[in-house]
Amino acid sequence: MYTASEITDLLNLPMFESDELFKTANETKINTVGNIVFTRALIELSNSCIKDCFYCGIRMGNKLTKRYILSDKEISKTIDYTIKSGFKSIVIQSGENSSTEFILKVEDILKQIAQQSNNTIRVTLSMGEHSDDTYKKWQDAGAHRYLLRIETSNPKLYSQIHPHDDKHSFKQRIQCIESLKKLGYQTGSGVMIGIPGQSDEDLANDILFLKNLDIDMCGMGPFLEHEQTPLFNHATIPLLKRFEFSLKMIALLRLAMPDINIAASTALQSVVPNGREQGILSGANVIMPNITPLHYRELYKLYKNKPGINQNIEDSITALSENINAIGHSLSLDEWGDSLHYKKEKLHISHVKE
Ligand code: SAH
């Protein structure tokens, strides 16, 4: 395992000297979790949010965004469509909403997915911080995995990009991640790369932090500006550098945690059209094609230049599959793609119990 200063050195290697890092990470992945790229059909449930994160386009304070939540009918159609398209894994992402109505709606959706698919689909939720009771309720209704990014492992930087109130507490976010783990969710976290004011040491510490947290999955990508947020025009690292750091962070995390699932984020694709494929070649093994009804995608806009806003799923899957084949991997729709790290841990726990 690299030390923080070794990671910092690797992050700063010029791109033309970084091939070895990407190659080793990709080989480590292939030897550990294989060359299959797992897909998760992504549904953006709602852009209503009670938070006011300074970087995010759907923050509560952004009065220019029209808010939506998918209706029961739209959800039912989307689930149907997901099953017919052959996906075995769904991610439902949303702005944060702690109302009872929302919590019950998510519970209903989970039950509906279980029923419509005969329990053949794995569901990941990504909807922010909630009480243990809510996480438990959703787990009982069929959620298997949860993604909650820490955004940065540096508490000081965290406080610079969030309002200072108890709705945006670094400690609380970590506690939620711990709760999810304790409940037995496959738990994911991750960070943004190139946040204004973020140093190389911060990024190196992020890798060590994620390793220490013992996550099962990771989603991370470049910080991208959104014109209707306070951090617009505050980037301190050029965009292509943020992209380069993102690929290196994927590679370094793969080397630190060979058996976890790592997503090649959509944010990578918004910087460079083949950004996700580059992410795969740097050690990622998951891609999340967007299946949100087309007219809502423009509204779930966390950052500018969000890709895939007008692309229907058939076209995007065909093209993606060809691109993934071209880089020596194969795209899988019909597998759960559980985290090997999580499966090993479960096995270990059941052995210890016996
Ligand atoms: N409400 C959920 C989901 C939030 S959106 C939650 O709190 O987890 C998912 C992720 O998008 C965030 O965790 C953040 O890492 C990322 N994101 C938001 N704004 C971004 C931006 N401007 N650039 C890059 N990533 C961003």
Short mmCIF file of all heavy atoms in Angstrom, two decimals, residues 15 18-30 220 243-256 262-264 268 274-285 327 329:
data_model
loop_
_atom_site.label_atom_id
_atom_site.label_comp_id
_atom_site.label_asym_id
_atom_site.label_seq_id
_atom_site.Cartn_x
_atom_site.Cartn_y
_atom_site.Cartn_z
N MET A 15 1.49 12.96 -17.64
CA MET A 15 0.65 11.94 -18.27
C MET A 15 1.48 10.96 -19.10
O MET A 15 1.23 9.78 -19.10
CB MET A 15 -0.40 12.59 -19.16
CG MET A 15 -1.78 12.74 -18.57
SD MET A 15 -2.34 11.39 -17.51
CE MET A 15 -3.92 11.02 -18.21
N SER A 18 2.67 8.13 -17.13
CA SER A 18 1.69 7.49 -16.24
C SER A 18 1.12 6.18 -16.78
O SER A 18 0.32 5.53 -16.11
CB SER A 18 0.53 8.44 -15.95
OG SER A 18 1.02 9.63 -15.41
N ASP A 19 1.53 5.82 -18.01
CA ASP A 19 0.99 4.59 -18.63
C ASP A 19 1.12 3.37 -17.73
O ASP A 19 0.22 2.55 -17.65
CB ASP A 19 1.74 4.30 -19.94
CG ASP A 19 1.11 5.06 -21.08
OD1 ASP A 19 0.13 5.80 -20.81
OD2 ASP A 19 1.61 4.93 -22.22
N GLU A 20 2.28 3.27 -17.10
CA GLU A 20 2.57 2.12 -16.24
C GLU A 20 1.54 2.01 -15.10
O GLU A 20 1.04 0.93 -14.79
CB GLU A 20 3.98 2.31 -15.65
CG GLU A 20 4.61 1.08 -15.04
CD GLU A 20 4.77 -0.08 -16.02
OE1 GLU A 20 5.01 0.17 -17.23
OE2 GLU A 20 4.64 -1.23 -15.55
N LEU A 21 1.21 3.17 -14.51
CA LEU A 21 0.23 3.21 -13.42
C LEU A 21 -1.13 2.71 -13.91
O LEU A 21 -1.76 1.84 -13.28
CB LEU A 21 0.11 4.65 -12.88
CG LEU A 21 -1.03 4.91 -11.88
CD1 LEU A 21 -0.80 4.14 -10.58
CD2 LEU A 21 -1.15 6.41 -11.58
N PHE A 22 -1.58 3.24 -15.06
CA PHE A 22 -2.89 2.84 -15.58
C PHE A 22 -2.89 1.35 -15.95
O PHE A 22 -3.85 0.63 -15.69
CB PHE A 22 -3.26 3.70 -16.80
CG PHE A 22 -3.42 5.16 -16.48
CD1 PHE A 22 -2.80 6.14 -17.23
CD2 PHE A 22 -4.18 5.55 -15.38
CE1 PHE A 22 -2.95 7.49 -16.92
CE2 PHE A 22 -4.33 6.90 -15.05
CZ PHE A 22 -3.71 7.87 -15.83
N LYS A 23 -1.78 0.92 -16.57
CA LYS A 23 -1.69 -0.49 -17.01
C LYS A 23 -1.73 -1.43 -15.80
O LYS A 23 -2.45 -2.42 -15.79
CB LYS A 23 -0.37 -0.69 -17.78
CG LYS A 23 -0.59 -1.40 -19.10
CD LYS A 23 0.67 -1.51 -19.90
CE LYS A 23 1.13 -2.95 -19.91
NZ LYS A 23 2.51 -3.15 -20.16
N THR A 24 -0.96 -1.10 -14.78
CA THR A 24 -0.92 -1.96 -13.59
C THR A 24 -2.29 -2.01 -12.92
O THR A 24 -2.75 -3.07 -12.48
CB THR A 24 0.11 -1.44 -12.56
OG1 THR A 24 1.28 -1.06 -13.26
CG2 THR A 24 0.44 -2.46 -11.52
N ALA A 25 -2.95 -0.84 -12.84
CA ALA A 25 -4.28 -0.81 -12.20
C ALA A 25 -5.27 -1.63 -13.01
O ALA A 25 -6.07 -2.39 -12.45
CB ALA A 25 -4.75 0.63 -12.06
N ASN A 26 -5.23 -1.48 -14.32
CA ASN A 26 -6.16 -2.23 -15.18
C ASN A 26 -5.91 -3.73 -15.05
O ASN A 26 -6.85 -4.53 -14.95
CB ASN A 26 -6.00 -1.76 -16.63
CG ASN A 26 -7.14 -2.26 -17.51
OD1 ASN A 26 -8.28 -2.36 -17.07
ND2 ASN A 26 -6.82 -2.64 -18.75
N GLU A 27 -4.64 -4.13 -15.02
CA GLU A 27 -4.32 -5.56 -14.89
C GLU A 27 -4.75 -6.09 -13.52
O GLU A 27 -5.28 -7.20 -13.41
CB GLU A 27 -2.81 -5.78 -15.07
CG GLU A 27 -2.42 -5.82 -16.54
CD GLU A 27 -0.91 -5.74 -16.74
OE1 GLU A 27 -0.14 -5.90 -15.76
OE2 GLU A 27 -0.51 -5.49 -17.90
N THR A 28 -4.54 -5.27 -12.49
CA THR A 28 -4.97 -5.68 -11.14
C THR A 28 -6.47 -5.93 -11.14
O THR A 28 -6.95 -6.92 -10.57
CB THR A 28 -4.61 -4.57 -10.12
OG1 THR A 28 -3.21 -4.35 -10.19
CG2 THR A 28 -5.01 -4.94 -8.71
N LYS A 29 -7.19 -5.03 -11.79
CA LYS A 29 -8.65 -5.19 -11.87
C LYS A 29 -9.00 -6.49 -12.59
O LYS A 29 -9.79 -7.30 -12.09
CB LYS A 29 -9.27 -4.01 -12.61
CG LYS A 29 -10.74 -4.18 -12.92
CD LYS A 29 -11.24 -3.14 -13.90
CE LYS A 29 -10.69 -3.40 -15.30
NZ LYS A 29 -11.00 -2.31 -16.22
N ILE A 30 -8.40 -6.69 -13.78
CA ILE A 30 -8.74 -7.88 -14.60
C ILE A 30 -8.42 -9.15 -13.81
O ILE A 30 -9.21 -10.10 -13.82
CB ILE A 30 -8.02 -7.81 -15.96
CG1 ILE A 30 -8.63 -6.66 -16.78
CG2 ILE A 30 -8.13 -9.13 -16.73
CD1 ILE A 30 -7.93 -6.34 -18.08
N MET A 220 -16.38 8.25 -8.08
CA MET A 220 -15.73 9.56 -7.91
C MET A 220 -15.42 10.13 -9.29
O MET A 220 -15.30 9.40 -10.27
CB MET A 220 -14.46 9.44 -7.06
CG MET A 220 -13.42 8.50 -7.58
SD MET A 220 -12.06 8.39 -6.39
CE MET A 220 -11.12 7.06 -7.14
N PHE A 243 -9.47 16.09 -14.82
CA PHE A 243 -9.75 14.82 -15.51
C PHE A 243 -8.60 13.84 -15.31
O PHE A 243 -8.79 12.68 -14.95
CB PHE A 243 -9.97 15.11 -17.00
CG PHE A 243 -10.25 13.88 -17.82
CD1 PHE A 243 -11.50 13.28 -17.79
CD2 PHE A 243 -9.26 13.31 -18.61
CE1 PHE A 243 -11.75 12.13 -18.53
CE2 PHE A 243 -9.51 12.16 -19.35
CZ PHE A 243 -10.76 11.58 -19.32
N GLU A 244 -7.39 14.35 -15.52
CA GLU A 244 -6.19 13.53 -15.37
C GLU A 244 -6.07 12.98 -13.94
O GLU A 244 -5.83 11.79 -13.73
CB GLU A 244 -5.00 14.44 -15.70
CG GLU A 244 -3.67 13.79 -15.79
CD GLU A 244 -2.59 14.86 -16.00
OE1 GLU A 244 -2.76 15.74 -16.88
OE2 GLU A 244 -1.57 14.81 -15.29
N PHE A 245 -6.29 13.86 -12.96
CA PHE A 245 -6.27 13.43 -11.55
C PHE A 245 -7.34 12.37 -11.30
O PHE A 245 -7.12 11.43 -10.53
CB PHE A 245 -6.54 14.62 -10.62
CG PHE A 245 -5.31 15.43 -10.24
CD1 PHE A 245 -5.45 16.73 -9.74
CD2 PHE A 245 -4.03 14.90 -10.35
CE1 PHE A 245 -4.34 17.48 -9.38
CE2 PHE A 245 -2.91 15.65 -9.97
CZ PHE A 245 -3.08 16.93 -9.49
N SER A 246 -8.49 12.51 -11.96
CA SER A 246 -9.58 11.56 -11.73
C SER A 246 -9.17 10.17 -12.20
O SER A 246 -9.41 9.17 -11.51
CB SER A 246 -10.86 11.98 -12.46
OG SER A 246 -11.27 13.24 -12.00
N LEU A 247 -8.53 10.10 -13.38
CA LEU A 247 -8.07 8.79 -13.88
C LEU A 247 -7.03 8.21 -12.92
O LEU A 247 -7.05 7.01 -12.60
CB LEU A 247 -7.46 8.91 -15.28
CG LEU A 247 -8.40 9.36 -16.41
CD1 LEU A 247 -7.63 9.38 -17.74
CD2 LEU A 247 -9.62 8.44 -16.54
N LYS A 248 -6.13 9.05 -12.46
CA LYS A 248 -5.08 8.56 -11.55
C LYS A 248 -5.68 8.12 -10.21
O LYS A 248 -5.23 7.14 -9.61
CB LYS A 248 -4.02 9.63 -11.33
CG LYS A 248 -3.16 9.85 -12.57
CD LYS A 248 -2.15 10.94 -12.31
CE LYS A 248 -1.29 11.20 -13.53
NZ LYS A 248 -0.52 12.43 -13.38
N MET A 249 -6.70 8.84 -9.74
CA MET A 249 -7.35 8.45 -8.48
C MET A 249 -8.02 7.09 -8.63
O MET A 249 -7.96 6.26 -7.73
CB MET A 249 -8.39 9.51 -8.06
CG MET A 249 -7.79 10.80 -7.55
SD MET A 249 -7.02 10.62 -5.92
CE MET A 249 -8.48 10.60 -4.87
N ILE A 250 -8.64 6.85 -9.78
CA ILE A 250 -9.27 5.54 -10.02
C ILE A 250 -8.18 4.46 -9.96
O ILE A 250 -8.32 3.43 -9.31
CB ILE A 250 -9.99 5.51 -11.39
CG1 ILE A 250 -11.25 6.38 -11.33
CG2 ILE A 250 -10.34 4.08 -11.81
CD1 ILE A 250 -11.98 6.54 -12.65
N ALA A 251 -7.08 4.71 -10.67
CA ALA A 251 -5.99 3.73 -10.71
C ALA A 251 -5.43 3.47 -9.31
O ALA A 251 -5.23 2.32 -8.89
CB ALA A 251 -4.88 4.22 -11.65
N LEU A 252 -5.21 4.54 -8.56
CA LEU A 252 -4.62 4.39 -7.22
C LEU A 252 -5.58 3.68 -6.26
O LEU A 252 -5.15 2.85 -5.45
CB LEU A 252 -4.22 5.77 -6.67
CG LEU A 252 -3.01 6.37 -7.40
CD1 LEU A 252 -2.95 7.88 -7.20
CD2 LEU A 252 -1.72 5.70 -6.92
N LEU A 253 -6.87 3.97 -6.40
CA LEU A 253 -7.83 3.29 -5.53
C LEU A 253 -7.92 1.80 -5.89
O LEU A 253 -8.03 0.94 -5.02
CB LEU A 253 -9.21 3.95 -5.61
CG LEU A 253 -10.21 3.39 -4.60
CD1 LEU A 253 -9.81 3.73 -3.17
CD2 LEU A 253 -11.63 3.90 -4.86
N ARG A 254 -7.86 1.51 -7.20
CA ARG A 254 -7.89 0.09 -7.62
C ARG A 254 -6.70 -0.65 -7.01
O ARG A 254 -6.83 -1.78 -6.55
CB ARG A 254 -7.89 -0.01 -9.15
CG ARG A 254 -7.77 -1.42 -9.70
CD ARG A 254 -8.91 -2.31 -9.24
NE ARG A 254 -10.19 -1.94 -9.84
CZ ARG A 254 -11.36 -2.39 -9.39
NH1 ARG A 254 -11.43 -3.23 -8.36
NH2 ARG A 254 -12.50 -2.01 -9.97
N LEU A 255 -5.54 -0.01 -7.01
CA LEU A 255 -4.36 -0.67 -6.45
C LEU A 255 -4.49 -0.82 -4.94
O LEU A 255 -4.06 -1.82 -4.35
CB LEU A 255 -3.09 0.11 -6.80
CG LEU A 255 -2.77 0.13 -8.31
CD1 LEU A 255 -1.57 1.02 -8.59
CD2 LEU A 255 -2.52 -1.29 -8.84
N ALA A 256 -5.14 0.16 -4.29
CA ALA A 256 -5.30 0.10 -2.83
C ALA A 256 -6.40 -0.89 -2.44
O ALA A 256 -6.33 -1.53 -1.39
CB ALA A 256 -5.64 1.49 -2.29
N ILE A 262 -15.65 -0.06 -8.84
CA ILE A 262 -15.37 1.38 -9.04
C ILE A 262 -16.09 1.84 -10.31
O ILE A 262 -15.94 1.22 -11.37
CB ILE A 262 -13.85 1.65 -9.19
CG1 ILE A 262 -13.07 1.12 -7.97
CG2 ILE A 262 -13.58 3.14 -9.38
CD1 ILE A 262 -11.55 1.32 -8.04
N ALA A 263 -16.86 2.90 -10.16
CA ALA A 263 -17.61 3.40 -11.33
C ALA A 263 -16.78 4.35 -12.17
O ALA A 263 -16.00 5.15 -11.64
CB ALA A 263 -18.88 4.12 -10.85
N ALA A 264 -16.97 4.23 -13.48
CA ALA A 264 -16.43 5.25 -14.39
C ALA A 264 -17.55 6.27 -14.51
O ALA A 264 -18.57 6.02 -15.16
CB ALA A 264 -16.10 4.63 -15.74
N LEU A 268 -16.83 12.04 -15.96
CA LEU A 268 -15.63 11.85 -16.80
C LEU A 268 -16.00 12.06 -18.27
O LEU A 268 -15.26 12.66 -19.04
CB LEU A 268 -15.09 10.42 -16.65
CG LEU A 268 -14.37 10.03 -15.37
CD1 LEU A 268 -14.08 8.53 -15.37
CD2 LEU A 268 -13.06 10.81 -15.22
N ASN A 274 -14.83 10.11 -24.61
CA ASN A 274 -14.56 8.71 -24.22
C ASN A 274 -14.01 8.62 -22.79
O ASN A 274 -13.28 7.68 -22.46
CB ASN A 274 -13.63 8.03 -25.23
CG ASN A 274 -12.19 8.52 -25.10
OD1 ASN A 274 -11.93 9.51 -24.40
ND2 ASN A 274 -11.26 7.85 -25.73
N GLY A 275 -14.39 9.57 -21.96
CA GLY A 275 -13.88 9.64 -20.58
C GLY A 275 -14.18 8.39 -19.78
O GLY A 275 -13.34 7.93 -18.99
N ARG A 276 -15.38 7.82 -19.96
CA ARG A 276 -15.71 6.62 -19.19
C ARG A 276 -14.84 5.44 -19.62
O ARG A 276 -14.39 4.65 -18.79
CB ARG A 276 -17.19 6.27 -19.36
CG ARG A 276 -18.10 7.26 -18.68
CD ARG A 276 -19.55 6.86 -18.81
NE ARG A 276 -19.96 6.70 -20.20
CZ ARG A 276 -21.18 6.38 -20.59
NH1 ARG A 276 -22.12 6.15 -19.71
NH2 ARG A 276 -21.48 6.27 -21.88
N GLU A 277 -14.59 5.33 -20.94
CA GLU A 277 -13.74 4.23 -21.42
C GLU A 277 -12.33 4.41 -20.84
O GLU A 277 -11.68 3.44 -20.45
CB GLU A 277 -13.69 4.22 -22.95
CG GLU A 277 -14.98 3.74 -23.62
CD GLU A 277 -16.05 4.84 -23.74
OE1 GLU A 277 -15.87 5.94 -23.17
OE2 GLU A 277 -17.08 4.59 -24.39
N GLN A 278 -11.87 5.66 -20.79
CA GLN A 278 -10.55 5.89 -20.18
C GLN A 278 -10.56 5.51 -18.70
O GLN A 278 -9.58 5.01 -18.17
CB GLN A 278 -10.14 7.36 -20.34
CG GLN A 278 -9.84 7.74 -21.79
CD GLN A 278 -9.05 9.04 -21.87
OE1 GLN A 278 -8.05 9.22 -21.18
NE2 GLN A 278 -9.48 9.95 -22.72
N GLY A 279 -11.70 5.75 -18.05
CA GLY A 279 -11.85 5.36 -16.65
C GLY A 279 -11.75 3.84 -16.50
O GLY A 279 -11.10 3.34 -15.57
N ILE A 280 -12.37 3.11 -17.42
CA ILE A 280 -12.31 1.64 -17.39
C ILE A 280 -10.86 1.18 -17.55
O ILE A 280 -10.38 0.32 -16.81
CB ILE A 280 -13.19 1.02 -18.52
CG1 ILE A 280 -14.67 1.40 -18.34
CG2 ILE A 280 -13.01 -0.49 -18.62
CD1 ILE A 280 -15.34 0.90 -17.10
N LEU A 281 -10.16 1.80 -18.49
CA LEU A 281 -8.76 1.41 -18.72
C LEU A 281 -7.84 1.82 -17.57
O LEU A 281 -6.70 1.37 -17.48
CB LEU A 281 -8.25 2.00 -20.04
CG LEU A 281 -8.77 1.28 -21.29
CD1 LEU A 281 -8.32 2.00 -22.55
CD2 LEU A 281 -8.31 -0.19 -21.33
N SER A 282 -8.34 2.65 -16.68
CA SER A 282 -7.54 3.05 -15.50
C SER A 282 -7.90 2.24 -14.27
O SER A 282 -7.36 2.49 -13.19
CB SER A 282 -7.76 4.53 -15.19
OG SER A 282 -7.63 5.30 -16.33
N GLY A 283 -8.88 1.31 -14.41
CA GLY A 283 -9.19 0.45 -13.26
C GLY A 283 -10.64 0.40 -12.83
O GLY A 283 -10.99 -0.35 -11.92
N ALA A 284 -11.52 1.19 -13.48
CA ALA A 284 -12.95 1.14 -13.11
C ALA A 284 -13.62 -0.08 -13.74
O ALA A 284 -13.12 -0.63 -14.73
CB ALA A 284 -13.64 2.43 -13.56
N ASN A 285 -14.75 -0.52 -13.17
CA ASN A 285 -15.44 -1.71 -13.72
C ASN A 285 -16.95 -1.58 -13.71
O ASN A 285 -17.66 -2.58 -13.84
CB ASN A 285 -15.01 -2.98 -12.96
CG ASN A 285 -15.52 -3.01 -11.53
OD1 ASN A 285 -15.61 -1.97 -10.89
ND2 ASN A 285 -15.85 -4.19 -11.03
N ILE A 327 -12.05 -1.88 -26.23
CA ILE A 327 -10.93 -1.74 -25.29
C ILE A 327 -10.70 -3.04 -24.50
O ILE A 327 -10.13 -3.03 -23.39
CB ILE A 327 -11.11 -0.53 -24.32
CG1 ILE A 327 -12.43 -0.61 -23.54
CG2 ILE A 327 -11.01 0.79 -25.08
CD1 ILE A 327 -12.53 0.37 -22.39
N HIS A 329 -12.82 -5.21 -23.10
CA HIS A 329 -13.70 -5.56 -22.00
C HIS A 329 -15.05 -5.97 -22.59
O HIS A 329 -15.30 -5.78 -23.78
CB HIS A 329 -13.90 -4.36 -21.07
CG HIS A 329 -12.70 -4.03 -20.24
ND1 HIS A 329 -11.53 -3.58 -20.78
CD2 HIS A 329 -12.48 -4.07 -18.89
CE1 HIS A 329 -10.64 -3.37 -19.82
NE2 HIS A 329 -11.20 -3.66 -18.66
#
